[in-house]
Amino acid sequence: AVEVTSSSFPSSLEPKDLHGDAPYNIMFGPDICGPSARRVHVIFNYRGKNLLLKKEIRCKDDELTHLYTLIVRADNTYEVRIDNKKEQSGKLEEDWDFLEPKEIADPDAKQPENWDDNPFLDDPEATKPEDWEQPETIPDPDAKMPEDWDEDMDGEWEPPVIDNPDFKGEWRPKQIDNTNYQGEWEPEMIANPNYFEDEQLYIQKDIKYVGIDIWQVKAGSIFDNILITDDEDFARNLAKETFEASAAGEKEKKDAKDEDERKKREDERKAREAAEAEAEADDEQEDDIEDDESAFAEDAEVESSLNDAEAKAEEIKDEL
């Protein structure tokens, strides 16, 4: 998990007292958390509230350097660029909850008593079948009184009960479309008394400091070249002169390093497979030698047995 966000702070901030809950103007930057969370934060502070972007912007999650740019324009629109390419854009008022809604549901409105909001109703012509009423349980027809049952001692025997397969539950008439259905009732919308227009949402009147928030569980994140300007062309040209110039070389070196590591892994794999093949061949050779020695020993035992039999035969001849 890695989060590297930059925040702009007003002049009222005491830099030595900067902490995670210090009020800021804008928070902007990438946040990588877990296997699925890959987002770019764009948070505005407006009238004391931190407002989150309602759209999703996915950040880069490779090992290369990337350039994140937030543009807030005087027509109350915005644009987020990654590596000098547009990733998201829109209107401030639409993509953040800066302002109250222009209209709200009338809090005093009440649903008319005769409003029919039931899409279906019971079929008035439906009738319950005569055989519908059945008990939920019945005596087990296969049960038999035990032979040793003594009614004087045990009382009157009653068979156990089982679920009735003919039980159908509570009868309800089928449903038909309601021809008088008026839909879900909704209160009338009225002008929101708390709504006001703000044509200067884009303005940040007091930015004096920039703070960097880094939260990571794996070391290695680096950052530099933070720029705040009101000149879009200057920012784009500076990005071309700095970031784009170095990014190409970084990509080439990264590709070369990855290729070297790939070749190293391939060589290690081949060496490991060759060692395993050699070890397997040595094991097979040892097995062949043991088999030969075992066969020689068996032949020797057979020959010795034959010699013993011949000697015994000679002894018997001499006795005769």
Side-chain angles (χ1 to χ4, degrees):
V2 179
E3 178 182 353
V4 183
T5 54
S6 61
S7 301
S8 60
F9 294 92
S11 58
S12 59
L13 174 73
E14 289 292 338
K16 63 180 180 180
D17 297 330
L18 179 62
H19 53 82
D21 295 326
Y24 54 82
N25 304 92
I26 301 174
M27 178 182 287
F28 175 63
D31 181 8
I32 300 174
C33 184
S36 59
R38 303 283 191 276
R39 65 173 64 88
V40 178
H41 285 299
V42 188
I43 305 175
F44 287 96
N45 183 285
Y46 183 73
R47 295 178 174 267
K49 295 182 179 180
N50 293 333
L51 308 178
L52 277 64
L53 175 65
K54 293 186 285 187
K55 292 180 178 178
E56 188 75 14
I57 305 176
R58 186 174 179 85
C59 66
K60 304 297 183 181
D61 57 0
D62 53 35
E63 298 179 357
L64 298 173
T65 303
H66 296 285
L67 173 66
Y68 291 84
T69 305
L70 170 63
I71 303 171
V72 181
R73 300 190 174 97
D75 60 355
N76 283 326
T77 62
Y78 75 96
E79 183 177 322
V80 173
R81 304 175 71 86
I82 301 179
D83 298 344
N84 233 3
K85 298 177 181 178
K86 184 171 73 173
E87 294 291 333
Q88 191 58 269
S89 63
K91 296 181 179 180
L92 297 177
E93 184 175 352
E94 294 177 355
D95 293 347
W96 285 266
D97 292 326
F98 282 99
L99 306 177
E100 294 277 347
K102 293 182 179 181
E103 293 184 331
I104 59 172
D106 185 353
D108 298 325
K110 295 182 180 179
Q111 180 174 323
E113 293 182 0
N114 61 349
W115 187 274
D116 195 340
D117 57 3
N118 293 316
F120 305 102
L121 50 77
D122 295 342
D123 184 354
E125 299 180 359
T127 57
K128 182 168 62 174
E130 295 180 358
D131 61 347
W132 185 273
E133 293 293 347
Q134 296 288 340
E136 187 173 353
T137 59
I138 58 174
D140 185 355
D142 297 326
K144 297 180 180 180
M145 185 174 67
E147 295 180 357
D148 58 350
W149 187 273
D150 188 338
E151 291 191 352
D152 293 334
M153 297 291 295
D154 302 325
E156 183 181 358
W157 179 80
E158 295 181 355
V161 296
I162 60 174
D163 291 338
N164 184 359
D166 295 326
F167 177 69
K168 302 176 182 179
E170 180 183 359
W171 180 82
R172 294 178 180 177
K174 71 175 182 177
Q175 299 287 288
I176 61 174
D177 291 336
N178 182 3
T179 56
N180 297 321
Y181 176 60
Q182 296 174 272
E184 293 293 330
W185 180 82
E186 295 181 357
E188 182 182 358
M189 301 299 288
I190 61 174
N192 184 357
N194 296 321
Y195 173 78
F196 62 91
E197 293 185 359
D198 188 348
E199 297 181 354
Q200 297 182 336
L201 294 175
Y202 70 95
I203 290 182
Q204 298 292 328
K205 296 181 179 180
D206 183 15
I207 296 179
K208 186 174 183 179
Y209 302 103
V210 172
I212 307 298
D213 182 16
I214 301 179
W215 191 93
Q216 62 180 3
V217 296
K218 182 179 180 181
S221 298
I222 59 175
F223 59 91
D224 62 4
N225 297 338
I226 298 170
L227 172 67
I228 298 179
T229 179
D230 59 1
D231 189 333
E232 288 189 41
D233 292 334
F234 174 75
R236 287 196 183 92
N237 291 332
L238 184 62
K240 292 179 181 180
E241 295 171 2
T242 56
F243 168 75
E244 292 185 10
S246 62
E250 179 187 19
K251 180 70 164 57
E252 291 177 1
K253 290 184 178 181
K254 178 67 168 58
D255 291 343
K257 180 182 177 182
D258 290 346
E259 180 62 19
D260 290 342
E261 292 179 351
R262 187 195 66 77
K263 290 181 178 179
K264 181 180 178 181
R265 290 193 300 270
E266 181 69 13
D267 292 342
E268 290 175 350
R269 183 187 63 80
K270 291 180 178 180
R272 185 171 58 254
E273 291 177 352
E276 292 173 353
E278 183 177 355
E280 184 178 352
D282 291 342
D283 291 342
E284 292 178 355
Q285 185 175 6
E286 290 178 1
D287 291 341
D288 292 342
I289 293 174
E290 291 176 357
D291 291 343
D292 292 342
E293 292 177 349
S294 176
F296 178 78
E298 291 176 357
D299 291 344
E301 291 177 0
V302 171
E303 183 176 355
S304 175
S305 298
L306 292 174
N307 291 336
D308 292 343
E310 291 176 356
K312 187 69 175 178
E314 290 294 333
E315 290 179 1
I316 294 173
K317 288 181 181 180
D318 293 340
E319 291 177 358
L320 295 174

